[in-house]
Every structure is written in C-alpha cells, then in structure tokens.
C-alpha cells in the first residue's frame, strides 16, 4: 500500500512539472515565431537573400569562373580543360559534371529553342566525340532535363532517360575507370524503375571504382526509399551499412541523416518529428562526419545544409548558427533544392535560426566570441 501511495504522489508531482516544461517550450516557440520577422541575418554577415547562389552547395571558384567564361564566350574548351584536370574518382569531378549540366539546363530554361541556351554543350559533344567529360556532362544534362521538364512515367520522360543511358554508356567506354558514368545511370535506374538485381549490378560497378564516394551513395540512396523502389527499412539499412564500413574521415557517417530526411512526411512537420532517438543518432553521426572530414571535401556543404534544417527544427539554435556560418552564400543542396524557390526556403530557416538564437540570449558578439 505504501508503494501505491508513493506512485500516486509521484504522478501528482510529475504532472505539473511536465505541464510546466511543455508550457515553457510553447512559450519559447511563440517567442521565436514572434521575432522571426524582426531578425536581421545580415548582422551576422549572412548574404542577402537575393544574392544567394542556387547553383552549388558550396564554393568552387574554379568551376564558377569557368561557367562564367563558357557562358560569356560560348566556347566549351575551358570546361573541357577543367574536367580533364579533375581526378576521375574524386567527389569534385561528379560535382563539376553536375555543375556544368545544371548551368546548361538553366540556360535552356531561360532561352529555349535550338541555337539559344546550352549551344556550347551541344557543340562540345559534337566537336569532341572522344572526350569522356563531354559525354558525362551531356548525359547528366539529359537526366536533369528529364526530371525538370517531363513527368515520371510518361513517354517523354522515358525517352529522355533512355538517351541519357546511351550517352552514359558511351562515356563509360571512353573512361573505363571513371565512376561518374555509372553514377549518372543511378538516376536513370531510379526513373526507369530498374529491378533490384539490375540495380545491384550497376551499383557494383560504382563501388568497384569508388567504394567510399559520398555523392554516389546519395544518388543510390534515393532508389531504396519508399517513394521510389524500396522502403524506409531498405533505405535505413543501406545508409547504416555504408556508415558502418566508412573509413575514417569519410562523410558516409552522415548518410543515415539523409535516409531519415527522405522519409519525413512533407506536410505539417511538427517539432515532435525531430525528437526521436533515430533522429538524434543520425544528427550526431552527421555532426561527427563533418568534424572529421577534410575541410575542402566538396560534399561537406551538402551535409551542413541538411544539418541546418534538422538543427533549426530541433531548436538547437547555436549549433544551427554555427553551421550557417560555414555554408552561407550557396544554397544548391538538399533540402532547399526540393523547394520551388531554394533561396527562399533557405532564407526562412536561416531567419528562424537567428530568431531562436537571439531569443535564447545570443547575439553576433556571442556567436563569434
């Protein structure tokens, strides 16, 4: 009986404590919401929203310079030289292939019609048929065009992706040890619905050439998600296995966070979605990964951008601000690229981070101190 009275008394005491804690969280949330509009990101040295660069997740001055030269002169040779000097198996080559292809897509959107946007890419492919870089960029351009302009499942979508696969196969013949052609086909496999056995054979080609390539793992992960050809369990298993065998300094330890993100329900996200143990472990893994990775690893900004989203929604304001200081200016990364206006999506989370940090007593002086 004494034990029952003890339990009853404990419940009576715990209930108001729990209610008080919930009320405090609600009050803090309201304070943040009320101060978002008055927050001043530029006081922290952040780039104004209208100047955010949506092309890349982080700085690659050589790539941006060459894109400007190519688009200004309509000559493809500088792009060919940059790719020729970029190591085949590194993360930078994959990102530069994506960067050139994305620039061509944006051009074509702005100036549609033959002879307008992306003419330099067509000329590069025609003038240098034995250049693996030209084939890779053109194949990736087709992939991006399929996803941008056609609806998955339509004949148009299938035709564009089948052409992309043909060009990526040509690139693989031109550069047999380069993983990029097979990485491009990973997106084709997702769009055309390769069966699991066929996908695994393709993935084996990638792993044989670049076993710890973070960009390749990010591309493959989406195939295993519930939205495409797998399930949450499949995606988590793929990401966890990759993280477990990651060499020291690899960003693969952050892959589970991307698996978690891919399975968050999009509408009406509440902060309760970010309080589970699986989310905390994934965030911890990603924080560890960026801390251990080389500072110049071109995929580090990808991880930091996703951390910003999670840390903001977990109300971990100072940590979010620390990540923002390291990535601000470039927003061409998940999760912002899923939004109709990537710069606006990023700027909204940045403003919330600033408001939350200041509501907790922070200031520009304390952040940089």
């Amino acid at each position: 009986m004494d034990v029952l009275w003890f339990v009853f008394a404990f419940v009576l005491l715990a209930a108001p404590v729990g209610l008080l804690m919930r009320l405090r969280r609600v009050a803090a949330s309201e304070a943040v919401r009320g101060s978002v509009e008055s927050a001043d990101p530029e006081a922290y040295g952040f780039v104004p929203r209208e100047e955010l660069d949506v092309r890349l997740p982080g700085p690659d001055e050589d790539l941006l310079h060459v894109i400007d030269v190519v688009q200004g002169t309509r000559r493809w040779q500088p792009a060919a030289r940059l790719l020729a000097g970029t190591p085949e198996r590194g993360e930078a080559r994959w990102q530069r292939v994506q960067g050139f292809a994305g620039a061509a897509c944006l051009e074509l959107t702005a100036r549609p019609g033959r002879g307008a946007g992306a003419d330099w890419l067509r000329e590069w492919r025609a003038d240098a048929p034995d250049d693996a870089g030209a084939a890779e960029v053109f194949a990736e351009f087709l992939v991006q065009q399929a996803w941008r302009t056609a609806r998955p499942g339509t004949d148009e979508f299938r035709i564009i992706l089948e052409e992309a696969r043909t060009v990526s196969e040509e690139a693989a013949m031109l550069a047999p040890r380069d993983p990029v052609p097979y990485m491009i086909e990973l997106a084709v496999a997702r769009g055309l619905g390769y069966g699991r056995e066929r996908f695994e054979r393709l993935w084996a080609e990638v792993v044989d050439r670049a076993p710890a390539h973070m960009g390749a793992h990010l591309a493959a992960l989406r195939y295993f998600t519930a939205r495409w050809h797998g399930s949450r369990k499949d995606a988590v298993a793929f990401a966890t296995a990759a993280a477990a065998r990651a060499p020291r300094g690899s960003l693969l330890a952050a892959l589970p966070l991307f698996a978690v993100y891919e399975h968050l329900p999009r509408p009406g996200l509440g902060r309760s979605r970010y309080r589970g143990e699986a989310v905390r472990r994934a965030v911890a893994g990603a924080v560890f990964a960026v801390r251990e990775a080389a500072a110049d690893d071109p995929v580090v900004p990808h991880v930091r951008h996703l951390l910003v989203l999670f840390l903001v929604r977990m109300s971990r304001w100072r940590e979010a601000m620390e990540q923002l200081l390291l990535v601000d200016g470039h927003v061409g990364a998940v999760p912002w690229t899923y939004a109709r206006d990537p710069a606006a999506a990023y700027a909204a989370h940045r403003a919330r981070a600033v408001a939350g940090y200041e509501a907790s007593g922070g200031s520009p002086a304390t952040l940089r101190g």
Side-chain angles (χ1 to χ4, degrees):
M1 184 63 71
D2 289 342
V3 172
L4 290 175
W5 276 110
F6 173 79
V7 171
F8 181 63
F10 178 80
V11 170
L12 288 177
L13 289 171
V17 172
L19 177 61
L20 180 61
M21 292 178 67
R22 284 195 296 274
L23 289 173
R24 285 179 175 174
R25 284 198 297 267
V26 170
S29 179
E30 291 297 328
V32 171
R33 277 197 291 268
S35 57
V36 167
E37 291 187 4
S38 61
D40 181 14
E42 292 184 41
Y44 294 83
F46 292 142
V47 174
R49 172 180 160 177
E50 60 274 11
E51 297 177 18
L52 292 170
D53 192 325
V54 301
R55 295 174 294 178
L56 298 175
D60 184 340
E61 298 306 325
D62 289 339
L63 174 60
L64 293 176
H65 171 70
V66 170
I67 288 175
D68 287 342
V69 170
V70 167
Q71 292 181 326
T73 64
R74 318 312 298 169
R75 293 177 58 80
W76 53 265
Q77 287 82 359
R81 286 194 293 270
L82 181 64
L83 277 188
T86 305
E88 285 184 344
R89 302 189 194 185
E91 304 280 356
R93 184 176 180 88
W94 172 229
Q95 294 217 111
R96 285 174 173 177
V97 167
Q98 290 182 302
F100 284 126
C105 286
L106 290 174
E107 269 192 37
L108 197 59
T109 300
R111 301 198 310 276
R114 190 164 185 83
D119 54 340
W120 56 268
L121 177 54
R122 287 189 291 270
E123 291 175 9
W124 183 11
R125 178 74 176 130
D127 295 348
D130 295 331
D131 185 345
E136 289 172 357
V137 173
F138 193 70
E140 174 63 17
F141 166 77
L142 291 170
V143 167
Q144 293 189 25
Q145 278 295 99
W147 292 102
R148 288 170 186 262
T149 65
R151 184 165 54 85
T154 62
D155 287 344
E156 180 187 6
F157 183 78
R158 176 182 55 78
I159 290 169
I160 298 173
L161 286 186
E162 286 178 349
E163 184 182 355
R165 178 172 58 199
T166 298
V167 179
S168 68
E169 289 170 351
E170 293 172 8
M173 288 188 289
L174 292 168
R177 296 307 301 167
D178 189 344
V180 169
Y182 300 96
M183 293 167 60
I184 294 169
E185 194 178 346
L186 291 173
V188 174
R190 175 164 53 92
L192 296 183
Y194 283 19
R196 187 63 60 90
E197 184 178 343
R198 185 178 182 183
F199 184 86
E200 293 289 358
R201 288 198 303 270
L202 173 61
W203 180 238
E205 297 285 357
V206 177
V207 172
D208 178 58
R209 291 163 176 78
H213 200 292
M214 181 64 171
H217 281 79
L218 288 172
L221 175 65
R222 297 195 68 192
Y223 175 90
F224 291 105
T225 62
R227 183 183 176 189
W228 291 103
H229 308 293
S231 64
R232 179 188 179 93
K233 182 179 179 181
D234 290 337
V236 169
F238 175 78
T240 302
R245 64 174 180 268
R248 186 174 182 84
S250 167
L251 285 169
L252 290 177
L255 197 62
L257 186 63
F258 288 84
V260 169
Y261 174 72
E262 288 288 348
H263 292 89
L264 288 172
R266 293 290 186 264
L269 292 177
R271 280 189 298 166
S272 61
R273 301 283 187 185
Y274 300 86
R275 293 189 187 132
E277 182 59 28
V279 172
R280 286 195 292 270
R281 284 199 307 268
V283 168
V287 170
F288 171 81
V290 296
R291 186 171 63 241
E292 294 293 313
D296 60 351
D297 188 317
V299 188
V300 166
H302 283 277
V303 181
R304 293 195 188 280
H305 278 290
L306 193 58
L307 275 171
V308 167
L309 178 135
F310 275 89
L311 293 170
V312 166
R313 294 184 177 179
M314 295 167 80
S315 301
R316 291 164 60 171
W317 309 119
R318 184 180 181 90
E319 293 169 271
M321 293 292 287
E322 290 169 349
Q323 297 298 329
L324 284 165
L325 287 175
L326 295 168
V327 298
D328 192 66
H330 298 273
V331 297
V334 171
W336 325 122
T337 50
Y338 282 167
R340 188 181 301 275
D341 184 341
Y346 169 83
H349 279 75
R350 184 179 65 182
R352 186 166 177 80
V354 171
Y357 181 63
E358 293 182 348
S360 303
S363 68
T366 58
L367 183 62
R368 300 179 184 276

